[in-house]
Amino acid sequence: MKNEEASYKTTSNLLAIARKHFTEYGYFDVVLEKIAEEGNVTRGAVYHHFKNKQGFFTAVLECVQKDVSTQIEKAAMKSDDPWQQLILGCVGFVKAANERENKRILLVDAPAVLGWTTWRQIDQENSMNVLQAHISDLKEWGYLSDNVDTELMTYSISGALNELALNYSQTEISNNDKIINTITQLVHGFRKI
């Protein structure tokens, strides 16, 4: 039990340090020895917990994805209206993905380092699952046109949101009216009239 607690504490600390390094320097310029030194562990301990640099980066990416998913849900819950929750959740994703500690890891380095297939799988297990579940609920509750395929809608919106987050600065995203209007127009075509 004590060893598990110590291992968890060490792993959590290393992930926090690595997240800062991957954010600041990017995957290709991160040196594992510096993370180990800052975490007061040996390089061997880093490899023990994460296998290799790519495994370490994947663990950091999964932390980022979970944080972004939490922020999406928090943003969506600002409304009781399910349709408005979709819009607010989408805005929440664009904002969260664009935060300094997330953007480079999530949208820039992850596809390049892990490859498209692995990156998409991790994305699907996190923020896309949240989006898919909500869209499925909207369909069940009668908000969507009968001919809407919820899976294709999820892919369409997710791709658009990734591009929005990647191509807008944090300053532009803080202009909620512009982003909300864009997302509202994007999802409007799926809504039952």
Side-chain angles (χ1 to χ4, degrees), residues 124-183:
Q124 284 177 323
E125 292 169 0
N126 292 283
S127 54
M128 277 187 68
N129 272 352
V130 173
L131 180 60
Q132 176 70 59
H134 192 73
I135 288 172
S136 294
D137 288 343
L138 288 173
K139 179 88 171 193
E140 185 179 317
W141 297 331
Y143 282 87
L144 303 179
S145 298
D146 294 335
N147 63 347
V148 169
D149 180 303
T150 59
E151 187 175 1
L152 292 177
M153 181 179 171
T154 301
Y155 287 130
S156 298
I157 293 172
S158 178
L161 295 178
N162 285 336
E163 285 298 314
L164 272 172
L166 191 56
N167 288 294
Y168 282 88
S169 70
Q170 190 64 34
T171 308
E172 291 169 309
I173 287 174
S174 65
N175 179 357
N176 276 355
D177 293 341
K178 186 177 179 182
I179 298 298
I180 289 173
N181 184 50
T182 300
I183 291 171

Coordinates of all heavy atoms in Angstrom, one line a residue, residues 124-183:
Q124 N -10.9 10.3 -29.2 CA -12.2 9.7 -29.1 C -12.5 9.2 -27.7 O -13.7 9.2 -27.3 CB -12.2 8.5 -30.1 CG -12.4 9.0 -31.6 CD -12.4 7.8 -32.6 OE1 -11.6 6.9 -32.4 NE2 -13.2 7.9 -33.6
E125 N -11.5 8.7 -27.0 CA -11.7 8.2 -25.7 C -12.0 9.3 -24.7 O -12.5 9.0 -23.6 CB -10.5 7.4 -25.2 CG -10.3 6.1 -26.0 CD -9.0 5.4 -25.7 OE1 -8.2 6.0 -24.9 OE2 -8.7 4.4 -26.3
N126 N -11.8 10.5 -25.0 CA -12.0 11.6 -24.1 C -13.0 12.6 -24.6 O -14.2 12.4 -24.5 CB -10.6 12.3 -23.8 CG -9.7 11.3 -23.0 OD1 -9.9 11.2 -21.8 ND2 -8.8 10.7 -23.7
S127 N -12.6 13.8 -25.2 CA -13.5 14.8 -25.5 C -14.5 14.4 -26.6 O -15.7 14.8 -26.5 CB -12.8 16.1 -26.0 OG -11.9 15.8 -27.0
M128 N -14.2 13.6 -27.5 CA -15.1 13.1 -28.5 C -16.2 12.2 -27.9 O -17.4 12.3 -28.3 CB -14.5 12.4 -29.7 CG -13.9 13.3 -30.7 SD -13.3 12.5 -32.2 CE -14.8 11.9 -32.9
N129 N -15.9 11.5 -26.9 CA -16.9 10.7 -26.2 C -17.9 11.5 -25.5 O -19.1 11.2 -25.5 CB -16.2 9.7 -25.2 CG -15.9 8.4 -25.8 OD1 -16.2 8.1 -27.0 ND2 -15.1 7.6 -25.1
V130 N -17.5 12.6 -24.9 CA -18.4 13.6 -24.2 C -19.3 14.2 -25.3 O -20.5 14.2 -25.1 CB -17.6 14.7 -23.5 CG1 -18.5 15.7 -23.0 CG2 -16.7 14.1 -22.4
L131 N -18.7 14.6 -26.4 CA -19.5 15.2 -27.5 C -20.5 14.2 -28.1 O -21.7 14.4 -28.2 CB -18.6 15.7 -28.6 CG -19.3 16.3 -29.8 CD1 -20.1 17.5 -29.4 CD2 -18.2 16.7 -30.8
Q132 N -20.1 12.9 -28.3 CA -20.9 11.9 -28.9 C -22.1 11.6 -28.0 O -23.2 11.4 -28.4 CB -20.1 10.6 -29.2 CG -20.9 9.4 -29.7 CD -21.5 9.6 -31.1 OE1 -20.7 9.8 -32.0 NE2 -22.8 9.6 -31.3
A133 N -21.8 11.5 -26.7 CA -22.9 11.2 -25.7 C -23.9 12.3 -25.7 O -25.1 12.0 -25.7 CB -22.3 11.0 -24.3
H134 N -23.5 13.5 -25.8 CA -24.5 14.6 -25.7 C -25.3 14.7 -27.0 O -26.5 14.9 -27.0 CB -23.8 15.9 -25.5 CG -24.7 17.0 -25.2 ND1 -25.4 17.1 -24.0 CD2 -25.2 18.1 -25.9 CE1 -26.2 18.2 -24.0 NE2 -26.1 18.8 -25.1
I135 N -24.6 14.5 -28.1 CA -25.3 14.5 -29.4 C -26.3 13.3 -29.5 O -27.4 13.5 -30.0 CB -24.3 14.4 -30.6 CG1 -23.6 15.8 -30.7 CG2 -25.0 14.0 -31.9 CD1 -22.4 15.8 -31.7
S136 N -26.0 12.2 -29.0 CA -26.9 11.0 -28.9 C -28.1 11.4 -28.1 O -29.3 11.0 -28.4 CB -26.2 9.8 -28.4 OG -25.2 9.3 -29.3
D137 N -27.9 12.0 -27.0 CA -29.0 12.5 -26.1 C -29.9 13.5 -26.9 O -31.1 13.4 -26.8 CB -28.5 13.1 -24.8 CG -27.9 12.1 -23.9 OD1 -28.2 10.9 -24.0 OD2 -27.2 12.5 -22.9
L138 N -29.3 14.4 -27.6 CA -30.0 15.4 -28.4 C -30.9 14.7 -29.4 O -32.1 15.1 -29.6 CB -29.1 16.4 -29.0 CG -28.4 17.4 -28.2 CD1 -27.4 18.2 -29.0 CD2 -29.4 18.3 -27.5
K139 N -30.4 13.7 -30.0 CA -31.2 12.9 -31.0 C -32.4 12.2 -30.3 O -33.5 12.3 -30.8 CB -30.3 11.9 -31.7 CG -31.0 11.0 -32.7 CD -31.0 11.6 -34.1 CE -31.5 10.6 -35.1 NZ -31.2 11.0 -36.4
E140 N -32.1 11.6 -29.2 CA -33.1 10.9 -28.5 C -34.2 11.9 -28.0 O -35.4 11.5 -27.9 CB -32.5 10.2 -27.3 CG -33.5 9.3 -26.5 CD -32.8 8.6 -25.3 OE1 -31.7 8.1 -25.5 OE2 -33.4 8.6 -24.2
W141 N -33.8 13.1 -27.6 CA -34.8 14.1 -27.1 C -35.5 14.8 -28.2 O -36.3 15.7 -27.9 CB -34.1 15.0 -26.1 CG -33.5 14.4 -24.9 CD1 -33.9 13.2 -24.3 CD2 -32.3 14.8 -24.2 NE1 -33.1 12.9 -23.2 CE2 -32.1 13.8 -23.1 CE3 -31.4 15.8 -24.3 CZ2 -31.1 14.0 -22.2 CZ3 -30.4 15.9 -23.4 CH2 -30.2 15.0 -22.4
G142 N -35.2 14.5 -29.4 CA -35.9 15.2 -30.6 C -35.4 16.5 -31.0 O -36.0 17.2 -31.8
Y143 N -34.1 16.9 -30.6 CA -33.6 18.1 -31.1 C -33.0 18.1 -32.5 O -32.8 19.1 -33.1 CB -32.4 18.5 -30.1 CG -32.9 19.1 -28.8 CD1 -33.2 18.3 -27.7 CD2 -33.0 20.5 -28.7 CE1 -33.6 18.9 -26.5 CE2 -33.5 21.1 -27.5 CZ -33.7 20.2 -26.4 OH -34.2 20.8 -25.2
L144 N -32.6 16.9 -33.0 CA -32.0 16.8 -34.2 C -32.9 16.3 -35.3 O -33.8 15.5 -35.1 CB -30.8 15.8 -34.1 CG -29.7 16.1 -33.1 CD1 -28.7 15.0 -33.1 CD2 -29.1 17.5 -33.3
S145 N -32.6 16.7 -36.6 CA -33.3 16.2 -37.7 C -33.3 14.7 -37.8 O -32.3 14.1 -37.4 CB -32.8 16.8 -39.0 OG -32.9 18.2 -39.0
D146 N -34.3 14.1 -38.3 CA -34.4 12.6 -38.3 C -33.3 12.0 -39.1 O -32.8 10.9 -38.8 CB -35.8 12.2 -38.9 CG -36.9 12.6 -38.0 OD1 -36.7 12.8 -36.8 OD2 -38.0 12.8 -38.5
N147 N -32.8 12.7 -40.1 CA -31.8 12.1 -41.0 C -30.3 12.3 -40.5 O -29.4 12.0 -41.2 CB -31.9 12.6 -42.4 CG -31.7 14.1 -42.5 OD1 -31.7 14.8 -41.5 ND2 -31.6 14.6 -43.8
V148 N -30.2 12.9 -39.3 CA -28.8 13.2 -38.8 C -28.2 11.9 -38.3 O -28.8 11.2 -37.5 CB -28.9 14.2 -37.7 CG1 -27.5 14.3 -37.0 CG2 -29.3 15.6 -38.3
D149 N -27.0 11.6 -38.8 CA -26.2 10.5 -38.3 C -25.4 11.1 -37.1 O -24.5 11.9 -37.4 CB -25.3 9.9 -39.4 CG -24.5 8.7 -38.9 OD1 -23.7 8.9 -37.9 OD2 -24.6 7.7 -39.5
T150 N -25.6 10.6 -35.9 CA -24.9 11.2 -34.7 C -23.4 11.0 -34.8 O -22.7 11.9 -34.3 CB -25.5 10.7 -33.4 OG1 -25.4 9.3 -33.4 CG2 -27.0 11.1 -33.3
E151 N -23.0 9.9 -35.3 CA -21.5 9.7 -35.3 C -20.9 10.6 -36.3 O -19.8 11.2 -36.0 CB -21.2 8.2 -35.7 CG -19.8 7.9 -35.7 CD -19.5 6.4 -36.0 OE1 -20.4 5.6 -36.3 OE2 -18.3 6.0 -35.9
L152 N -21.5 10.8 -37.5 CA -20.9 11.7 -38.5 C -21.0 13.2 -38.0 O -20.1 14.0 -38.2 CB -21.6 11.6 -39.8 CG -21.4 10.3 -40.6 CD1 -22.2 10.2 -41.8 CD2 -19.9 10.1 -40.9
M153 N -22.1 13.5 -37.3 CA -22.2 14.8 -36.7 C -21.1 15.1 -35.7 O -20.4 16.1 -35.7 CB -23.5 15.0 -36.0 CG -23.8 16.3 -35.4 SD -25.4 16.4 -34.6 CE -25.3 18.0 -33.8
T154 N -20.8 14.1 -34.9 CA -19.7 14.2 -33.9 C -18.3 14.4 -34.6 O -17.6 15.3 -34.2 CB -19.6 12.9 -33.0 OG1 -20.9 12.7 -32.4 CG2 -18.5 13.0 -32.0
Y155 N -18.0 13.6 -35.6 CA -16.8 13.8 -36.3 C -16.7 15.2 -37.0 O -15.7 15.8 -36.9 CB -16.6 12.7 -37.4 CG -16.3 11.4 -36.9 CD1 -17.0 10.3 -37.3 CD2 -15.3 11.2 -35.9 CE1 -16.7 9.0 -36.8 CE2 -15.0 9.9 -35.5 CZ -15.7 8.8 -35.9 OH -15.4 7.6 -35.4
S156 N -17.8 15.6 -37.5 CA -17.8 17.0 -38.2 C -17.6 18.1 -37.2 O -16.7 19.0 -37.5 CB -19.2 17.2 -38.9 OG -19.4 16.2 -39.9
I157 N -18.3 18.0 -36.1 CA -18.1 19.1 -35.1 C -16.7 19.0 -34.5 O -16.1 20.1 -34.3 CB -19.2 19.0 -34.1 CG1 -20.6 19.4 -34.7 CG2 -18.9 20.0 -32.9 CD1 -21.8 19.2 -33.8
S158 N -16.3 17.8 -34.1 CA -15.0 17.7 -33.5 C -13.9 18.2 -34.4 O -13.0 18.9 -33.9 CB -14.7 16.2 -33.2 OG -13.4 16.0 -32.6
G159 N -13.9 17.9 -35.7 CA -12.9 18.4 -36.6 C -12.9 19.9 -36.7 O -11.8 20.5 -36.7
A160 N -14.1 20.5 -36.8 CA -14.2 21.9 -36.9 C -13.7 22.6 -35.6 O -13.0 23.6 -35.6 CB -15.7 22.3 -37.1
L161 N -14.0 22.0 -34.4 CA -13.5 22.6 -33.2 C -12.0 22.5 -33.0 O -11.4 23.4 -32.5 CB -14.2 21.9 -32.0 CG -15.7 22.0 -31.9 CD1 -16.2 21.2 -30.7 CD2 -16.1 23.5 -31.8
N162 N -11.4 21.4 -33.5 CA -9.9 21.3 -33.5 C -9.3 22.4 -34.3 O -8.3 23.0 -33.9 CB -9.5 19.9 -33.9 CG -9.7 18.8 -32.9 OD1 -9.8 19.1 -31.7 ND2 -9.9 17.6 -33.4
E163 N -9.9 22.6 -35.5 CA -9.3 23.7 -36.3 C -9.5 25.1 -35.7 O -8.6 25.9 -35.8 CB -10.0 23.6 -37.7 CG -9.5 22.5 -38.6 CD -8.0 22.6 -38.9 OE1 -7.5 23.7 -39.2 OE2 -7.3 21.6 -38.7
L164 N -10.7 25.3 -35.1 CA -10.9 26.6 -34.4 C -9.9 26.8 -33.4 O -9.3 27.9 -33.3 CB -12.3 26.6 -33.8 CG -13.5 27.1 -34.7 CD1 -14.8 26.9 -34.0 CD2 -13.3 28.6 -35.1
A165 N -9.7 25.8 -32.5 CA -8.7 25.9 -31.4 C -7.3 26.1 -31.9 O -6.6 26.9 -31.4 CB -8.8 24.7 -30.5
L166 N -7.0 25.4 -33.0 CA -5.6 25.5 -33.5 C -5.3 26.8 -34.2 O -4.2 27.3 -34.2 CB -5.4 24.3 -34.5 CG -4.0 24.1 -35.0 CD1 -3.0 23.8 -33.8 CD2 -4.0 22.9 -35.9
N167 N -6.3 27.4 -34.8 CA -6.1 28.6 -35.6 C -6.5 29.9 -35.0 O -6.4 31.0 -35.7 CB -6.9 28.4 -37.0 CG -6.2 27.4 -37.8 OD1 -5.0 27.6 -38.2 ND2 -6.8 26.2 -38.0
Y168 N -7.0 29.9 -33.8 CA -7.3 31.2 -33.1 C -6.5 31.3 -31.9 O -6.2 30.4 -31.1 CB -8.8 31.2 -32.7 CG -9.6 31.6 -33.9 CD1 -10.1 30.6 -34.8 CD2 -9.9 32.9 -34.3 CE1 -10.8 30.8 -35.9 CE2 -10.7 33.2 -35.4 CZ -11.1 32.2 -36.2 OH -11.8 32.5 -37.3
S169 N -6.0 32.5 -31.6 CA -5.3 32.8 -30.4 C -6.2 32.9 -29.2 O -7.4 33.1 -29.3 CB -4.5 34.1 -30.5 OG -5.4 35.2 -30.5
Q170 N -5.6 32.8 -28.0 CA -6.4 32.9 -26.8 C -7.2 34.3 -26.7 O -8.3 34.3 -26.2 CB -5.5 32.7 -25.6 CG -6.3 32.6 -24.3 CD -7.1 31.3 -24.2 OE1 -6.8 30.3 -24.8 NE2 -8.2 31.4 -23.6
T171 N -6.5 35.3 -27.2 CA -7.2 36.6 -27.2 C -8.4 36.6 -28.1 O -9.5 37.1 -27.7 CB -6.2 37.7 -27.8 OG1 -5.0 37.6 -27.1 CG2 -6.8 39.1 -27.6
E172 N -8.4 36.0 -29.3 CA -9.5 36.0 -30.1 C -10.6 35.1 -29.5 O -11.8 35.4 -29.7 CB -9.1 35.4 -31.5 CG -8.3 36.4 -32.3 CD -7.7 35.7 -33.5 OE1 -7.1 34.7 -33.4 OE2 -7.8 36.3 -34.6
I173 N -10.2 34.0 -28.9 CA -11.2 33.1 -28.3 C -11.9 33.8 -27.1 O -13.1 33.5 -26.8 CB -10.5 31.8 -27.9 CG1 -10.2 31.0 -29.2 CG2 -11.4 30.9 -27.0 CD1 -9.5 29.8 -29.1
S174 N -11.2 34.7 -26.5 CA -11.9 35.4 -25.3 C -13.1 36.2 -25.8 O -13.9 36.6 -25.1 CB -10.9 36.2 -24.5 OG -10.4 37.2 -25.3
N175 N -13.1 36.5 -27.1 CA -14.2 37.2 -27.7 C -15.3 36.2 -28.0 O -15.5 35.7 -29.0 CB -13.8 37.9 -29.0 CG -15.0 38.6 -29.7 OD1 -16.1 38.6 -29.2 ND2 -14.7 39.3 -30.8
N176 N -16.1 35.9 -26.9 CA -17.1 34.8 -26.9 C -18.1 35.0 -28.0 O -18.6 34.0 -28.6 CB -17.8 34.7 -25.5 CG -17.0 33.9 -24.6 OD1 -16.0 33.3 -24.9 ND2 -17.4 33.8 -23.4
D177 N -18.5 36.2 -28.2 CA -19.6 36.4 -29.2 C -19.3 35.9 -30.6 O -20.1 35.2 -31.2 CB -20.0 37.9 -29.3 CG -20.6 38.5 -28.0 OD1 -21.1 37.7 -27.2 OD2 -20.6 39.7 -27.9
K178 N -18.1 36.1 -31.0 CA -17.6 35.7 -32.3 C -17.6 34.1 -32.4 O -18.0 33.5 -33.3 CB -16.2 36.2 -32.6 CG -15.7 36.0 -34.0 CD -14.4 36.7 -34.1 CE -13.7 36.5 -35.5 NZ -12.4 37.1 -35.6
I179 N -17.0 33.5 -31.3 CA -16.9 32.1 -31.3 C -18.3 31.4 -31.1 O -18.6 30.4 -31.8 CB -15.9 31.6 -30.2 CG1 -14.5 32.2 -30.4 CG2 -15.9 30.1 -30.0 CD1 -13.9 31.7 -31.7
I180 N -19.1 32.0 -30.2 CA -20.4 31.4 -30.0 C -21.2 31.5 -31.3 O -21.9 30.5 -31.7 CB -21.1 32.1 -28.8 CG1 -20.5 31.7 -27.5 CG2 -22.6 31.8 -28.8 CD1 -21.0 32.4 -26.3
N181 N -21.2 32.6 -32.0 CA -21.9 32.8 -33.2 C -21.4 31.7 -34.3 O -22.3 31.1 -34.9 CB -21.7 34.2 -33.8 CG -22.6 34.4 -35.0 OD1 -23.8 34.1 -35.0 ND2 -21.9 34.9 -36.1
T182 N -20.1 31.6 -34.4 CA -19.6 30.6 -35.4 C -20.1 29.2 -35.0 O -20.5 28.5 -35.9 CB -18.1 30.7 -35.4 OG1 -17.7 32.0 -35.7 CG2 -17.5 29.7 -36.3
I183 N -20.0 28.8 -33.8 CA -20.4 27.4 -33.4 C -21.9 27.3 -33.5 O -22.4 26.2 -34.0 CB -19.9 27.1 -32.0 CG1 -18.3 27.0 -32.0 CG2 -20.5 25.9 -31.4 CD1 -17.6 26.9 -30.7

